Amino acid sequence: MTASSVNEEAQESDALGGSFFTHYLTSGLMGAADDDRNEVVTLDEAYRHVSEATIRATSQTLAGTQHPTLRYKLRGQGKLALTVPNSRCGRSPGSASASERARLHYHVPCAGELPGSRPPPGAARGQ
């Protein structure tokens, strides 16, 4: 996954305090990208979220619209889980189906474990 297409520059936002792409990717991994509300953010959900949000946010900038890209080659079945939003960390698998839980037998980091992540507002340290 890249922040922009080959002939574009990744843009920064003063209002966001950083790049559009990083902002929307991080918010997506923390739960905003969980389209099916199963409390698991997959690669497809994260890319769809970051792409749509970045395109929408940069469409009115002086530099022009920025287009994140995704190219991957995987073999196997099922969706690739990237993270479990904080609402599910340390709890039962919630609304994820039995088949989804069975596929999540590897470590899927909670959003709070992501590098540079901040705890959600109101969360106590160590929780």
Side-chain angles (χ1 to χ4, degrees), residues 24-34 36 38-46 79-89 96 104 106-115 117:
Y24 293 116
L25 179 59
T26 302
S27 69
L29 293 174
M30 295 183 82
D34 187 14
D36 58 9
N38 69 343
E39 300 182 5
V40 175
V41 177
T42 66
L43 177 61
D44 292 336
E45 288 175 320
K79 298 174 182 177
L80 177 60
L82 296 181
T83 188
V84 176
N86 284 328
S87 63
R88 190 167 139 198
C89 290
L104 297 176
Y106 46 86
H107 177 69
V108 177
C110 291
E113 297 172 1
L114 297 171
S117 64

Side-chain angles (χ1 to χ4, degrees), residues 7-59:
N7 294 319
E8 297 174 339
E9 292 188 18
Q11 299 179 48
E12 304 251 331
S13 164
D14 290 335
L16 297 176
S19 80
F20 289 100
F21 176 84
T22 301
H23 172 78
Y24 293 116
L25 179 59
T26 302
S27 69
L29 293 174
M30 295 183 82
D34 187 14
D35 290 338
D36 58 9
R37 302 292 179 232
N38 69 343
E39 300 182 5
V40 175
V41 177
T42 66
L43 177 61
D44 292 336
E45 288 175 320
Y47 175 70
R48 188 171 37 254
H49 175 77
V50 72
S51 179
E52 291 173 359
T54 300
I55 289 170
R56 184 174 49 251
T58 61
S59 66

Side-chain angles (χ1 to χ4, degrees), residues 57-74:
T58 61
S59 66
Q60 301 299 314
T61 64
L62 294 175
T65 306
Q66 177 181 326
H67 301 87
T69 61
L70 174 66
R71 196 177 313 175
Y72 67 98
K73 185 185 249 184
L74 296 174

